[in-house]
Amino acid sequence: MTHDRHEPGGPGLDDPDYAHFAWARFRRILKWMALVSALAGLAAVLWIAWMREGLTPGLALATFFGVALTIFMAAALMGLVFLSSGTGHDEDVERLD
């Protein structure tokens, strides 16, 4: 069973099978984005260490977590936007007007 897009009047997050599929896809995307975020944080720390001598552990931690968490938060919020759109919640709200 493949679900690419919510059809109007079709299954949404009210359907348990479709909800399981949609949330599993969201979690899979977030796992990949956690890796990308961690790599970006590490790259930022390495870049600062290369540009500046005497990188303190506090600066390294602050840089790593600042960059990684910012990217991860952006990915999570964009993932929720795509989840909402892909499951038909946006269309359901528009029909209520």
Side-chain angles (χ1 to χ4, degrees), residues 51-86:
M51 295 296 287
R52 170 191 161 130
E53 290 188 27
L55 179 66
T56 64
L59 179 60
L61 282 174
T63 300
F64 176 80
F65 284 113
V67 170
L69 291 177
T70 299
I71 292 173
F72 187 73
M73 180 62 70
L77 291 174
M78 286 303 298
L80 288 173
V81 167
F82 291 132
L83 178 72
S84 174
S85 175

Side-chain angles (χ1 to χ4, degrees), residues 1-69:
M1 170 197 271
T2 60
H3 301 285
D4 289 332
R5 178 132 175 92
H6 172 75
E7 297 295 327
L13 289 180
D14 297 335
D15 176 18
D17 290 334
Y18 191 77
H20 177 72
F21 164 77
W23 284 109
R25 183 176 57 182
F26 177 72
R27 283 190 297 273
R28 186 175 59 245
I29 290 169
L30 283 188
K31 287 177 187 176
W32 280 106
M33 287 311 298
L35 177 64
V36 170
S37 299
L39 290 174
L42 181 62
V45 169
L46 292 175
W47 182 72
I48 289 176
W50 180 66
M51 295 296 287
R52 170 191 161 130
E53 290 188 27
L55 179 66
T56 64
L59 179 60
L61 282 174
T63 300
F64 176 80
F65 284 113
V67 170
L69 291 177

